[in-house]
Amino acid sequence: DVFDEWRPWDDGSEPELDAEFASDTDQSNPDICRSGTIVSERNVPLSVGLPRVKSGANLEVFVALNGLTTGVIVKVEDPRCLGTLAQVAAEELAAGPIDDTIIEPKRLLSNTGRPVRNWDDVSLSDFYVHVLLDREEWVWPGIRVGFSWTVAGRRLRTVAMSP
């Protein structure tokens, strides 16, 4: 099982709730950040997507909506293009164009709810991130019943996949 050896990113600190997100600022070089490419079907299970992107090869990232464990794999042109990654993934996962005046901002968070500020954060998150829309609050993904992880010194375990 792909999850037997996987342990989500935890440096022992509390996640910062009011941090600056890289997805807010990547338009600093629009010549580089022109597009991202969806390289998978929609609703790929994390158990399939994680092994594919885990190495970080080809600038591919598994992106899920807030709290979900299905998503898409997105390839970006440059590791500085995290805003493009967020936009492309959000549009694919929402099954259509997203109006920036309605669903803003799009935020990237790690698999443990930490703000993604740069490509190093994407790497620490095993190339598995969540895109949050319109100031959503972070929701932990269940992964699977029985899965456990430690975040900021607290042990979490999934006991059910629905409330």
Side-chain angles (χ1 to χ4, degrees):
D1 186 318
V2 67
F3 301 117
D4 288 342
E5 295 179 21
W6 180 63
R7 292 296 168 253
W9 169 26
D10 178 40
D11 62 7
S13 66
E14 296 285 336
E16 296 175 46
L17 300 179
D18 294 324
E20 180 177 296
F21 293 75
S23 50
D24 292 340
T25 60
D26 93 335
Q27 297 311 316
S28 59
N29 196 340
D31 293 333
I32 295 172
C33 301
R34 292 185 303 271
S35 66
T37 305
I38 303 296
V39 294
S40 72
E41 298 293 322
R42 189 178 304 136
N43 297 321
V44 171
L46 179 59
S47 60
V48 173
L50 189 61
R52 176 172 169 179
V53 301
K54 194 160 173 121
S55 70
N58 303 317
L59 298 177
E60 292 182 351
V61 181
F62 181 87
V63 185
L65 288 175
N66 190 17
L68 299 182
T69 57
T70 59
V72 294
I73 298 171
V74 180
K75 178 183 172 105
V76 292
E77 295 176 356
D78 187 280
R80 295 170 287 184
C81 299
L82 297 178
T84 301
L85 171 69
Q87 180 69 28
V88 168
E91 288 183 354
E92 179 67 16
L93 293 166
I98 293 179
D99 183 346
D100 285 345
T101 63
I102 297 172
I103 313 250
E104 262 312 308
K106 288 161 282 305
R107 310 283 188 167
L108 292 176
L109 276 81
S110 74
N111 53 38
T112 56
R114 298 174 188 288
V116 171
R117 294 186 184 90
N118 52 47
W119 193 256
D120 288 341
D121 290 348
V122 174
S123 177
L124 285 169
S125 193
D126 291 327
F127 305 95
Y128 161 37
V129 299
H130 290 265
V131 62
L132 279 65
L133 307 174
D134 199 23
R135 303 205 185 274
E136 287 180 307
E137 294 294 324
W138 170 252
V139 176
W140 289 97
I143 308 297
R144 70 168 186 211
V145 173
F147 185 78
S148 63
W149 52 19
T150 301
V151 176
R154 294 173 187 89
R155 188 107 176 127
L156 306 172
R157 186 170 65 91
T158 303
V159 295
M161 291 302 288
S162 61

